[in-house]
Amino acid sequence: MLEHYQQKDRFLQRVNPSLKLGAVLVIIIMMVPVFDPWTPLLLFGVTVALITGLGGVHLRFLGLLLLPFLLFAFSFVWIQVVFPDERGGTILFTIGSLPVSLENVSTGVSLGMRALVFGSWSLLFVLTTEPSRFMLSLIQQCKLPPRFGYGMMAAFRFLPLFRDELRQIRTAHRIRGLGEKRGLRQLKRYFIPLMAGAIRKAERTAVAMESKGFDGSRNRTFYHRIHWNRHDAYFTGLFLLLLTTIWFVSTPWSA
Amino acid sequence: MMNAAAMQSLTITYPAEEHPALQPLDLEINKGENILLLGPSGSGKSTLALALQGLIPRAVEAEMTGELTVHDAAPKHWKITEACRHVGILFQDPETQFCMETVEDEIIFGMENIGLPVGDIKDRLEHVLKITGLKEQRFSRLTTLSGGLKQKTATACLLALDPGMFILDEPTANLDPKSKEDFIQLWINTAARQNKTLLFIEHNMETGLEHIDRVIALRKEGGVLLDGPPHTVFREQAHILEQEGIHVPEVCRTARRMEQEGNITWSPFPLSLHEWETQCMQHGFQKREEPFSGLFPHAPAEPPLIEAENMTFSYGSKRILDNVSFILHAGEFTALCGSNGAGKSTLARLLTGLEDPEGGTLFRNGKDTRHLKTRDILKQTGMVFQNPEHQFICDTVEDELTFGWRAAGLASSSFHKELEKLLDLFQLQEKRHSNPFSLSQGQKRRLSVAVMLTGNQKLLILDEPTFGQDESGTKALMGMLKKWQQKEGGTILMITHDMSLVDQYADKVLLLDNQCTAFEGSTDALFKQTDLLEKASVKVPVSRELRTWVTSLERQETPC
């Protein structure tokens, strides 16, 4: 499913991965001093619109992915209401004997929305960026040494392998009569065969890569070039517009 | 003829190892030769491959003494980007030789490494995709490919770099019989035709032998055991190979026996089934179908151990098993076959009770398994996994074997006899105090089977138990299993691709194809269903094909 969106031929997919990554970082930094609930709410709305409109991701699929972030966000509101540093004066209503104040709810929503904004921007990046293009862009635009770039790619390939292996180990142990209960001891038992396998796999892959002439240096051809294109210009324009809007919207509130 | 490689008392020792992995070796390899390199496990074949490329000592630390030259240079002095243009290695495990996501990117990776201009990369890419037949898979993700296609991709990567010498280190060990044949055919059609040096390392090579110029067998204690053209080695010296525990191709072994018994004089000695058949026909021998044994030998009165009725199972939305029905009687040795992804492993999981069928019913001793506890099913069912390490949970072999008994709270006096019996049966006495992870491949495998027999198991399921085992390891393991089946009345279900194993040991075959049971019945009956075999990419083992001729040869039935 993830690959399906990453490979779509839509606007966000065509933007340079390094630029997108930069944008995510700028947004995160921008949101640090914002404490009102409306700016992140607005930004969140815009982001969802961007991902669905310019990234071609189905709203339902996006919603599903955002669900854990939503729960996380709600926990902020809850914590602010139940354990406030300082209870606000404007009481909205009470739950049992617990007074709920507007100020506390507002801080909670603002913190929660911020988590949602971070989540949605991370998803904007992940859902519209192919890992191999991202790696190439890091090497070509950000001057990341190929040693790390291709190493990351190889490690990335291992993730599903590990998942399969862990599943097999778990089954094997259950058949031996272990694994009804989960605990630290259980984890230790998984750890040894998993590590033994991981080290062997990593060694083999490293040898295989070197046998194909990979020496980690920049001295190589790039068959796929990640170029800057007009989509990057549009994206930058759009992004600056978004930043300006945030600036104006949030100033009267944050002061 | 020019030298492609030369070794003079080449010895390689890994750090912290007492004995060298490669004992002193003197050998010369000529340019353009197609060589089959044989040797028992531990004779240093893979180590030699790494050294020929210079990966030892460049990437893999090891001490090297003696002389080694490849293409008139010492491989260890090559730069990484130089080495890959001299020697290309295809490794055994398809999972761990890729680092990119798609077929195209992986093929390009090597060419980018050596700095080929973009135009050349484009041309070579098109070329290797064409000759390996991977055009359709060009943009496919590597994770979605079958083992056979993965090894073809790895081949394409090597061909793109165009080295002077290719080393194939047991590349077909994980492949099903059809993919294995396709793969070997690909090498014969492409690489072997150019003037390239080709070094095939294989335990068990049955096809393509007629294209081999020279067979070299290494001795376990070091040095060259035999060296010569396949006709000579497999005709005159086969007994020496067998003494060393090296597999002799079925055709050659049988041909040799026929000749020794005075039934036929070969000229030339056959290296493939095709050559065998042509010559037999020239001598006027006829193929004789073996008499069909008819119905399945025994039909016990008691309820079968396992009976599956229209079982279905899915992972998420993906249907894995669809209307699978079969019966396993107590005391039977059944082989579970089918191409990769046919649902064999899933079926095994259902039989262990870890998973319940979605639809249909699974009966165990006549009872619906849904009413049984997983725990109780597991007490009677053992499962041996592809990777034996996954099963190990203790620090010594002995603890590993006694784990079940100790967990059940038994005193050591009560299981002492049983333990000794298992240690003897699986030849693990010497290793009883060693850590399971420190054992050899064969020992690990035997231990993983032994631990599954410490309870009161009635059914033992094995997932490709002979994977990664050499000829003698396989023989020993199968012997032990057969013993357990016959002496203790155990029931065995073995997942395997190896049809000669099926032919030799299984009483019955269960064949899955397209998520369904395509066949259930005796081994003899299966190999008669040519259409079905073709469809399920199963090959009749050479040994069986040969048998149809052997009777005729032995009786000297030539039409007068």
Side-chain angles (χ1 to χ4, degrees):
Chain A
M1 205 58 198
L2 208 58
E3 293 101 48
H4 166 73
Y5 287 122
Q6 287 170 349
Q7 285 164 1
K8 263 193 170 180
D9 193 22
R10 295 296 292 266
F11 175 77
L12 281 179
Q13 277 81 343
R14 278 179 238 157
V15 175
N16 191 306
S18 297
L19 184 65
K20 265 186 284 184
L21 184 69
V24 175
L25 295 176
V26 170
I27 284 287
I28 291 177
I29 294 166
M30 271 291 287
M31 291 310 289
V32 169
V34 175
F35 279 103
D36 70 278
W38 304 111
T39 317
L41 195 65
L42 174 76
L43 187 54
F44 177 66
V46 173
T47 317
V48 170
L50 280 176
I51 300 175
T52 51
L54 298 179
V57 179
H58 288 292
L59 192 60
R60 189 188 292 172
F61 182 69
L62 182 63
L64 220 61
L65 289 177
L66 279 169
L67 210 61
F69 290 102
L70 204 70
L71 289 175
F72 185 59
F74 182 73
S75 70
F76 276 105
V77 182
W78 182 247
I79 288 169
Q80 283 301 317
V81 169
V82 182
F83 312 105
D85 290 339
E86 195 180 315
R87 205 170 296 281
T90 332
I91 306 294
L92 291 173
F93 55 91
T94 57
I95 308 171
S97 61
L98 187 78
V100 177
S101 75
L102 177 65
E103 289 83 352
N104 295 137
V105 172
S106 152
T107 327
V109 170
S110 144
L111 287 173
M113 285 313 297
R114 221 187 311 181
L116 268 182
V117 166
F118 293 170
S120 60
W121 273 84
S122 313
L123 285 179
L124 181 144
F125 183 78
V126 171
L127 287 173
T128 65
T129 313
E130 267 186 89
S132 56
R133 268 177 65 86
F134 175 44
M135 185 269 296
L136 284 177
S137 165
L138 280 182
I139 293 175
Q140 292 172 15
Q141 269 90 46
C142 303
K143 303 295 165 218
L144 180 80
R147 188 183 302 279
F148 296 111
Y150 286 91
M152 262 166 49
M153 269 317 281
F156 183 71
R157 266 186 54 80
F158 277 166
L159 295 179
L161 288 181
F162 279 144
R163 199 187 49 207
D164 290 350
E165 191 147 5
L166 185 64
R167 212 182 55 214
Q168 276 175 26
I169 294 173
R170 195 174 276 165
T171 317
H173 286 192
R174 276 189 69 187
I175 282 174
R176 296 209 55 192
L178 286 172
E180 315 272 282
K181 44 186 184 285
R182 294 188 179 189
L184 222 60
R185 272 177 72 90
Q186 195 63 32
L187 272 180
K188 197 192 120 198
R189 286 207 174 106
Y190 292 152
F191 186 72
I192 297 169
L194 203 56
M195 275 319 279
I199 292 170
R200 202 173 310 139
K201 282 198 180 79
E203 270 177 352
R204 283 191 195 151
T205 307
V207 167
M209 283 170 79
E210 190 173 321
S211 82
K212 286 185 206 164
F214 181 67
D215 60 359
S217 72
R218 288 204 77 83
N219 215 342
R220 59 185 292 115
T221 324
F222 290 105
Y223 183 76
H224 297 293
R225 282 243 164 234
I226 309 291
H227 292 290
W228 296 107
N229 55 32
R230 62 196 161 84
H231 300 287
D232 300 316
Y234 299 152
F235 182 80
T236 313
L238 208 66
F239 188 64
L240 287 177
L241 191 71
L242 186 65
L243 289 188
T244 329
T245 322
I246 293 172
W247 184 258
F248 279 112
V249 173
S250 70
T251 308
W253 295 87
S254 59
Chain B
M1 240 190 285
M2 241 178 92
N3 251 349
M7 289 138 257
Q8 273 134 39
S9 20
L10 178 69
T11 313
I12 298 169
T13 317
Y14 290 114
E17 294 282 329
E18 224 176 294
H19 302 288
L22 183 73
Q23 306 271 5
L25 182 68
D26 293 278
L27 194 63
E28 276 187 26
I29 293 172
N30 298 316
K31 223 171 214 161
E33 268 183 328
N34 294 338
I35 296 174
L36 175 62
L37 184 65
L38 301 169
S41 307
S43 55
K45 301 176 303 265
S46 300
T47 304
L48 177 64
L50 294 177
L52 285 169
Q53 217 270 359
L55 286 161
I56 289 179
R58 215 185 320 109
V60 180
E61 200 188 329
E63 197 194 328
M64 228 169 91
T65 58
E67 288 289 316
L68 170 66
T69 51
V70 179
H71 300 157
D72 301 316
K76 61 179 170 190
H77 296 314
W78 282 332
K79 279 192 286 185
I80 293 172
T81 46
E82 259 177 315
C84 68
R85 306 181 89 152
H86 284 287
V87 180
I89 307 183
L90 192 69
F91 297 93
Q92 178 180 343
D93 183 4
E95 296 300 337
T96 53
Q97 50 185 316
F98 300 131
C99 61
M100 301 299 286
E101 284 196 294
T102 64
V103 171
E104 186 192 75
D105 284 351
E106 190 64 46
I107 298 173
I108 291 168
F109 172 73
M111 294 188 279
E112 288 179 324
N113 288 337
I114 57 173
L116 280 187
V118 173
D120 290 4
I121 293 185
K122 206 173 160 57
D123 295 343
R124 283 200 197 181
L125 174 69
E126 299 286 347
H127 176 66
V128 297
L129 282 172
K130 196 173 141 224
I131 55 179
T132 51
L134 284 171
K135 271 194 164 159
E136 271 174 46
Q137 283 81 21
R138 179 169 182 169
F139 299 109
S140 300
R141 302 171 76 79
L142 290 162
T143 42
T144 62
L145 298 184
S146 69
L149 287 176
K150 277 183 188 148
Q151 289 300 54
K152 278 192 181 174
T153 307
T155 304
C157 294
L158 288 195
L159 294 175
L161 288 171
D162 196 34
M165 184 192 289
F166 291 105
I167 304 175
L168 313 182
D169 192 356
E170 298 188 39
T172 64
N174 306 28
L175 306 186
D176 58 52
K178 185 76 179 27
S179 317
K180 186 170 173 168
E181 213 182 73
D182 284 352
F183 177 84
I184 290 180
Q185 200 59 48
L186 166 66
W187 274 95
I188 288 163
N189 290 345
T190 57
R193 279 204 191 149
Q194 307 161 11
N195 190 29
K196 304 276 183 186
T197 316
L198 193 62
L199 193 62
F200 250 114
I201 304 177
E202 271 290 354
H203 272 313
N204 194 341
M205 189 146 158
E206 297 284 355
T207 42
L209 283 173
E210 61 272 37
H211 301 272
I212 296 291
D213 305 316
R214 183 176 168 197
V215 177
I216 301 170
L218 298 184
R219 208 180 274 129
K220 184 150 194 168
E221 306 78 48
V224 176
L225 177 70
L226 292 173
D227 183 352
H231 295 103
T232 323
V233 171
F234 292 133
R235 186 185 213 167
E236 288 146 33
Q237 299 161 317
H239 57 288
I240 306 177
L241 291 177
E242 277 171 348
Q243 275 165 15
E244 197 76 5
I246 298 171
H247 178 82
V248 176
E250 289 292 340
V251 175
C252 303
R253 189 161 63 185
T254 318
R256 183 176 135 87
R257 186 163 60 89
M258 288 298 108
E259 194 167 54
Q260 280 179 340
E261 287 172 7
N263 296 324
I264 194 169
T265 310
W266 305 102
S267 89
F269 188 73
L271 293 171
S272 68
L273 192 62
H274 179 72
E275 288 181 1
W276 161 293
E277 287 181 338
T278 329
Q279 274 197 59
C280 275
M281 283 194 283
Q282 278 168 5
H283 281 82
F285 290 106
Q286 296 290 320
K287 198 166 165 173
R288 268 174 66 107
E289 289 301 322
E290 274 174 280
F292 184 40
S293 56
L295 288 167
F296 203 62
H298 57 117
E302 59 206 82
L305 184 66
I306 299 281
E307 183 172 6
E309 265 182 23
N310 303 324
M311 247 179 5
T312 50
F313 190 79
S314 324
Y315 278 122
S317 59
K318 203 173 164 214
R319 194 37 77 89
I320 309 284
L321 298 174
D322 202 6
N323 273 326
V324 171
S325 310
F326 62 93
I327 290 178
L328 298 182
H329 286 291
E332 278 176 352
F333 192 136
T334 308
L336 176 56
C337 306
S339 51
N340 293 331
K344 304 184 297 286
S345 302
T346 308
L347 184 60
R349 273 177 80 87
L350 290 174
L351 292 181
T352 59
L354 287 175
E355 217 91 57
D356 273 327
E358 215 170 67
T361 13
L362 182 62
F363 296 101
R364 198 172 278 267
N365 293 319
K367 288 191 205 97
D368 189 338
T369 46
R370 257 173 282 220
H371 306 311
L372 298 172
K373 286 204 190 93
T374 306
R375 212 175 221 287
D376 294 330
I377 297 178
L378 283 178
K379 271 187 196 148
Q380 299 199 343
T381 314
M383 171 138 182
V384 179
F385 288 79
Q386 234 177 72
N387 182 349
E389 284 181 4
H390 288 165
Q391 290 174 269
F392 299 153
I393 48 183
C394 299
D395 296 334
T396 69
V397 169
E398 207 177 299
D399 283 354
E400 202 72 66
L401 286 168
T402 57
F403 177 81
W405 296 316
R406 285 183 288 124
L410 296 177
S412 68
S413 56
S414 61
F415 54 72
H416 182 73
K417 243 177 86 185
E418 192 74 10
L419 168 68
E420 297 300 320
K421 211 173 90 188
L422 278 173
L423 285 171
D424 285 335
L425 178 63
F426 289 94
Q427 297 165 17
L428 290 165
Q429 276 292 2
E430 283 169 41
K431 293 283 176 184
R432 61 191 298 164
H433 298 298
S434 310
N435 188 304
F437 283 89
S438 71
L439 302 178
S440 75
Q441 276 304 319
Q443 290 162 340
K444 275 183 194 162
R445 173 49 76 210
R446 297 205 295 272
L447 176 61
S448 71
V449 176
V451 294
M452 279 302 144
L453 298 178
T454 58
N456 216 346
Q457 273 80 9
K458 302 272 184 292
L459 171 66
L460 186 63
I461 304 166
L462 302 118
D463 194 350
E464 302 200 32
T466 56
F467 175 65
Q469 305 278 316
D470 63 5
E471 169 95 343
S472 53
T474 301
K475 265 202 178 139
L477 178 71
M478 296 312 291
M480 289 163 200
L481 288 173
K482 209 68 195 166
K483 218 165 163 186
W484 180 70
Q485 183 209 0
Q486 281 159 358
K487 278 198 174 162
E488 318 268 328
T491 316
I492 295 173
L493 181 70
M494 181 173 79
I495 300 178
T496 187
H497 284 314
D498 188 335
M499 286 301 140
S500 70
L501 220 58
V502 173
D503 187 31
Q504 248 177 303
Y505 297 97
D507 308 317
K508 196 178 148 181
V509 181
L510 182 60
L511 178 68
L512 293 186
D513 185 39
N514 273 328
Q515 290 84 42
C516 306
T517 16
F519 177 85
E520 182 196 5
S522 72
T523 316
D524 286 334
L526 170 74
F527 291 128
K528 299 224 184 306
Q529 313 233 354
T530 8
D531 293 349
L532 176 66
L533 296 178
E534 178 72 26
K535 201 170 131 255
S537 31
V538 171
K539 286 216 32 109
V540 177
V542 181
S543 53
R544 196 170 188 95
E545 297 270 12
L546 291 173
R547 240 181 288 150
T548 57
W549 293 96
V550 165
T551 354
S552 156
L553 255 76
E554 277 172 344
R555 295 190 195 151
Q556 293 290 308
E557 290 173 338
T558 46
C560 312

